[in-house]
Amino acid sequence: MRYTIMVIDDDKSNLTAAKILLEGQYEVSLVNSGIRALKLLEKYKPDLILLDLKMPDMDGFEVIDIMKSNERLKDIPVIILTADKSDETERECFIHGAVDYIGKPFKAAVMLARVHRTLELENLRNDLACQVEKKTKELEAVVLQSVMAIANTVDSRSEFKRGHSARVAEYSLLIGRKMGLRSRELKQLYQAALLHDIGKIGIPDSILNKPGRLSAGEMDVIRRHPNIGADILKDIQSMKDVSISVRFHHERFDGEGYPSGISGDDIPVLARIICIADAYEAMTHDRVYRGQLSDHRTQTELEQEKGGQFDPKLVDILIELIAEHGSLRQFTSGREVEPDSNGNLVQRILEKQSETDRNEAALDWLTGLYNRSFSEREIIRRIRKEDGAFFLIDLDNFKMVNDFYGHAAGDAVLKRVAVILKSCIREDDLASRVGGDEFTIFISGVTDRDRIVKYAEHILEEFNKEKKAEALLAECSLSIGISFASKDSDGYLDIYKKADRALYYVKQNGKNGFEFYNEKHQDLLKKSSDGIAELQRFMRLLENEKTKKGVYEVGYREISRTLKLVSRFVERNDQNLQLVLFTLVAVSTNVDLEQQQEAMSVLEEVIYQSLRKVDISTRYSSSQHMVVLVDADEQGIEIVAKRIKDEFKKNNHTGNFEILYDFLGIGA
């Protein structure tokens, strides 16, 4: 295998010398600036980087700092090239994370020796990491196999409980996946569910298998098993997190459970999942004290304990799973999971976890389309081989569906859109859900504009057909921005941004259409983000007396009351109101909920500082803030909005968001 080396230096003679020296043994790529290097690193990952320290656009320390903050790039070894041989510079190199440095002008023998040594050490480090990971898995397997032997012994003490732990683990995993838990959490959940009753090893058979009602004293004995199980597991290093879920799996959401009597969100979420999975398994299987319940009775019991024994959100998820699949018994073998000396139990568990990891790594939990992370990687891989077309698709007015019909209806709409998109593309094309109501499609190997037009028209046609048959879609439409991708594209973010600019052009010009990116969109300044439509809808709701009750009462009560007070003020003083809606829009694809919340806090602080005492403001949604300006004209709005946008730009240091605004006048 030939190692790949990237050399970053603004001096052409140094690049040439390095290439002549290294290319006989290594694959060498030459880059003449730090900025260009970071763009290239979006596309591929070299085995080693030789980095010049002094460059005009971005010095070596800045480049390496950015790399170390990136999860994918942080482990690439970096050797600094510098003419500054002072002790201070050497110290700085290592502080910033370089593995070595080479003085300029570099000597051939020195450079070759240090490059060879660095790559050799990196190879040994990777081998060691692999060995450690392998040994860790082997140790976990041995521990899990040993503990499962005890757990199955507990289950086998009653003919009615054989396979109980395995079934609870399967049901827990189904619920966890539906919730969108990450791989590490799913692994903990599966193990904790398998071992949730291990503490019953300390409970007498006479109590476990008693056919009638337990006495108060016997119940006290039974209630010891969560603590017994947690104590067994807590001293095992790999089971510490698992022990927490085992300890609390009999707590109730209303606080009436045991052993600690905690309630609500204070109960660890994995324990809440195991609690409802354990109860569902007990309801749907025979027990010593009763037979299994009917499907109808099971669902009734779940509904009755919503907010009592069970987390209401988990009840909804479990009932949705039952509605989708019928009885969940089809997902289990019905047999206990038996350990054996060959480690087959552990192998099955690890295989199951590998399947979970693969599914989580590739698929969106709700729609079954590819998720954002996978689609980014796959698109980057594909455009190295062939050109293609990139669609960015937005489901217009989706918020209205959630607001009027609820989030379950919203989920159903998103699933329907996913089905439509998949039906309109070839099997090898890539459809993904990259955000709440945002989707992408990558058409491999097609750059003919007429063919891409047919794709877009087909998608819109199929969606509009579905609208006629599905009431939930009546107010929705699709807007599509399209960009072309090739080997020369500047990474995923580049084609995404281009499609995004084209998308907003569509949204500003009536929606329900598509647009190809071109240079006219480069400097497109987006003033609107569906804000006018949102303000008009809001005013209709205020004017409609029916909105005093129902879903909108909680969300809009405060601003509704405020507007009515101000409206009376307007009537008495013959003045006008202006509603201004400020919307926070991400301009980068690499933002998360925490960053959005921080940016909203900055926006709100800026708004409070920019308004007069007579003006009023309130948060409208997770990304919007509404302001009521008293006796303001359009020019005054522009002045206030510009002040707020400028102050936000100064105070929002990440630069990942911009502010859009829309306004609507209310006459006296």
Side-chain angles (χ1 to χ4, degrees):
M1 182 187 72
R2 283 168 65 88
Y3 290 103
T4 58
I5 299 176
M6 178 183 286
V7 185
I8 308 169
D9 197 315
D10 63 313
D11 188 320
K12 187 175 181 180
S13 62
N14 286 335
L15 290 176
T16 302
K19 182 175 183 180
I20 292 172
L21 182 62
L22 298 170
E23 67 178 350
Q25 300 180 44
Y26 309 104
E27 296 289 341
V28 182
S29 59
L30 306 178
V31 189
N32 62 4
S33 80
I35 293 175
R36 178 63 179 160
L38 290 172
K39 288 182 178 179
L40 289 174
L41 287 170
E42 292 179 5
K43 298 182 179 181
Y44 89 107
K45 184 178 177 181
D47 296 304
L48 174 67
I49 291 177
L50 303 182
L51 176 62
D52 183 25
L53 196 55
K54 301 296 183 183
M55 294 182 289
D57 61 343
M58 179 184 290
D59 69 30
F61 288 145
E62 291 178 273
V63 174
I64 197 171
D65 287 346
I66 292 173
M67 287 177 56
K68 294 301 178 185
S69 67
N70 185 301
E71 191 67 27
R72 191 176 68 87
L73 306 177
K74 67 179 183 180
D75 293 328
I76 301 176
V78 177
I79 297 177
I80 296 292
L81 306 176
T82 178
D84 184 352
K85 301 176 183 177
S86 66
D87 293 342
E88 180 64 22
T89 298
E90 181 180 354
R91 187 176 70 86
E92 283 293 310
C93 289
F94 293 119
I95 288 174
H96 284 271
V99 298
D100 202 349
Y101 84 105
I102 299 174
K104 290 182 179 180
F106 45 77
K107 297 179 181 179
V110 172
M111 174 176 278
L112 285 173
R114 295 195 174 183
V115 165
H116 177 74
R117 184 193 65 180
T118 300
L119 289 171
E120 189 177 56
L121 289 173
E122 185 66 13
N123 192 38
L124 288 172
R125 187 185 70 80
N126 290 335
D127 285 346
L128 180 60
C130 289
Q131 290 180 37
V132 169
E133 183 180 3
K134 181 180 177 182
K135 290 296 182 184
T136 300
K137 287 182 177 179
E138 289 176 357
L139 179 60
E140 288 180 350
V142 170
V143 170
L144 183 58
Q145 187 175 352
S146 301
V147 177
M148 269 305 303
I150 303 172
N152 280 335
T153 300
V154 173
D155 279 2
S156 66
R157 291 165 70 188
S158 168
E159 63 176 294
F160 294 100
K161 298 273 283 189
R162 292 184 185 276
H164 165 73
S165 296
R167 290 190 292 269
V168 172
E170 297 288 352
Y171 300 153
S172 298
L173 206 54
L174 286 169
I175 296 169
R177 286 172 178 160
K178 187 75 170 175
M179 291 176 65
L181 296 184
R182 296 182 179 277
S183 174
R184 181 172 177 273
E185 293 170 314
L186 288 171
K187 181 178 180 180
Q188 286 181 14
L189 175 62
Y190 190 71
Q191 291 180 342
L194 281 173
L195 305 175
H196 73 283
D197 273 345
I198 190 175
K200 287 185 178 178
I201 196 71
I203 308 300
D205 287 349
S206 59
I207 295 177
L208 287 178
N209 295 318
K210 184 175 179 178
R213 177 181 290 273
L214 298 178
S215 68
E218 289 168 335
M219 279 302 302
D220 287 340
V221 174
I222 280 285
R223 287 175 174 172
R224 297 174 191 167
H225 83 268
N227 279 333
I228 294 172
D231 289 342
I232 291 171
L233 298 172
K234 70 178 183 180
D235 293 329
I236 303 172
Q237 184 64 32
S238 61
M239 293 288 170
K240 283 186 176 180
D241 293 333
V242 170
S243 71
I244 295 172
S245 301
V246 170
R247 189 180 301 279
F248 297 115
H249 78 276
H250 273 296
E251 299 292 351
R252 290 173 54 102
F253 198 77
D254 60 8
E256 297 299 317
Y258 61 89
S260 301
I262 56 178
S263 63
D265 291 341
D266 289 338
I267 306 170
V269 65
L270 302 190
R272 279 178 267 154
I273 294 172
I274 295 170
C275 173
I276 194 169
D278 188 19
Y280 176 76
E281 195 281 336
M283 293 179 202
T284 54
H285 290 80
D286 291 335
R287 287 293 180 264
V288 66
Y289 48 87
R290 59 141 178 83
Q292 70 180 62
L293 304 184
S294 67
D295 291 342
H296 175 73
R297 177 70 185 282
T298 297
Q299 187 158 327
T300 300
E301 293 275 348
L302 291 171
E303 289 282 9
Q304 287 177 347
E305 286 298 333
K306 195 173 184 178
Q309 183 177 357
F310 309 127
D311 182 338
K313 294 178 182 177
L314 296 182
V315 173
D316 290 341
I317 288 173
L318 181 54
I319 289 176
E320 186 177 347
L321 282 168
I322 295 169
E324 289 176 1
H325 305 290
S327 172
L328 301 188
R329 296 181 68 170
Q330 61 178 296
F331 293 99
T332 67
S333 65
R335 299 187 300 272
E336 63 182 313
V337 180
E338 297 180 355
D340 56 62
S341 59
N342 295 323
N344 290 338
L345 158 70
V346 176
Q347 183 61 35
R348 289 199 296 274
I349 292 174
L350 294 179
E351 286 173 357
K352 181 176 291 295
Q353 187 57 40
S354 295
E355 178 186 352
T356 299
D357 292 344
R358 288 194 299 273
N359 289 340
E360 185 195 46
L363 299 181
D364 170 58
W365 68 273
L366 176 64
T367 63
L369 299 180
Y370 292 112
N371 61 29
R372 180 176 200 142
S373 176
F374 177 83
S375 67
E376 286 186 21
R377 295 194 304 270
E378 182 62 16
I379 289 171
I380 290 170
R381 187 188 70 80
R382 291 190 182 193
I383 62 178
R384 291 176 187 163
K385 297 181 178 180
E386 58 182 347
D387 299 344
F390 179 80
F391 289 45
L392 182 58
I393 304 168
D394 192 63
L395 180 60
D396 305 315
N397 303 327
F398 176 66
K399 183 176 184 295
M400 190 179 297
V401 176
N402 276 335
D403 288 344
F404 276 106
Y405 299 106
H407 289 281
D411 287 350
V413 167
L414 293 173
K415 291 177 184 178
R416 192 63 210 146
V417 172
V419 171
I420 293 169
L421 296 182
K422 288 194 75 172
S423 72
C424 293
I425 59 176
R426 303 168 303 182
E427 185 176 348
D428 291 339
D429 294 327
L430 195 70
S432 61
R433 178 183 176 219
V434 296
D437 57 357
E438 190 173 80
F439 300 84
T440 63
I441 288 175
F442 187 75
I443 310 295
S444 301
V446 180
T447 56
D448 179 75
R449 190 182 180 93
D450 291 340
R451 287 185 62 188
I452 296 303
V453 166
K454 289 180 180 178
Y455 271 100
E457 289 176 341
H458 185 41
I459 290 170
L460 294 175
E461 180 183 352
E462 291 301 309
F463 182 83
N464 289 326
K465 280 183 187 176
E466 190 70 19
K467 282 178 64 171
K468 295 177 182 178
E470 177 54 72
L472 289 175
L473 293 174
E475 299 299 325
C476 297
S477 61
L478 292 184
S479 295
I480 306 173
I482 306 171
S483 63
F484 287 106
S486 67
K487 295 177 183 178
D488 297 326
S489 298
D490 236 350
Y492 177 86
L493 188 57
D494 175 54
I495 59 175
Y496 181 96
K497 284 183 175 179
K498 288 177 178 176
D500 185 49
R501 292 190 180 101
L503 171 66
Y504 272 98
Y505 182 86
V506 176
K507 292 174 77 69
Q508 287 180 326
N509 288 274
K511 306 178 183 177
N512 191 33
F514 63 91
E515 177 77 11
F516 288 88
Y517 170 80
N518 58 50
E519 293 304 319
K520 74 180 180 183
H521 304 127
Q522 180 64 39
D523 299 318
L524 181 64
L525 296 176
K526 304 186 293 291
K527 181 182 177 183
S528 174
S529 180
D530 294 339
I532 289 295
E534 187 67 30
L535 288 170
Q536 290 172 340
R537 184 168 69 89
F538 176 72
M539 287 307 303
R540 289 196 300 271
L541 289 168
L542 288 178
E543 292 165 3
N544 186 346
E545 288 298 317
K546 293 179 181 179
T547 59
K548 291 178 181 178
K549 296 180 180 180
V551 67
Y552 277 98
E553 185 180 4
V554 175
Y556 295 161
R557 183 188 298 150
E558 292 304 320
I559 194 163
S560 174
R561 185 182 301 150
T562 301
L563 278 170
K564 288 177 181 177
L565 289 171
V566 177
S567 295
R568 287 199 290 270
F569 171 81
V570 169
E571 291 172 3
R572 291 196 300 267
N573 294 278
D574 192 28
Q575 293 176 313
N576 294 324
L577 293 179
Q578 295 284 353
L579 286 181
V580 187
L581 186 64
F582 290 93
T583 301
L584 190 71
V585 177
V587 296
S588 167
T589 59
N590 299 315
V591 297
D592 55 29
L593 183 59
E594 184 177 349
Q595 291 172 325
Q596 177 177 308
Q597 291 172 342
E598 290 176 0
M600 275 299 291
S601 297
V602 173
L603 173 60
E604 289 173 339
E605 184 62 30
V606 167
I607 288 173
Y608 298 149
Q609 293 173 0
S610 302
L611 298 183
R612 303 165 299 176
K613 289 185 178 180
V614 70
D615 299 323
I616 301 162
S617 73
T618 186
R619 180 175 284 212
Y620 185 73
S621 72
S622 62
S623 62
Q624 293 176 307
H625 199 96
M626 185 177 286
V627 173
V628 183
L629 297 179
V630 178
D631 198 25
D633 55 18
E634 187 168 335
Q635 184 179 4
I637 294 171
E638 296 285 353
I639 292 171
V640 172
K642 185 177 186 306
R643 182 190 312 148
I644 289 172
K645 291 179 71 172
D646 290 345
E647 287 299 313
F648 177 81
K649 191 173 182 179
K650 280 194 286 186
N651 289 278
N652 178 41
H653 302 300
T654 66
N656 287 334
F657 297 90
E658 68 177 26
I659 301 301
L660 314 181
Y661 71 94
D662 299 89
F663 59 89
L664 183 66
I666 308 174

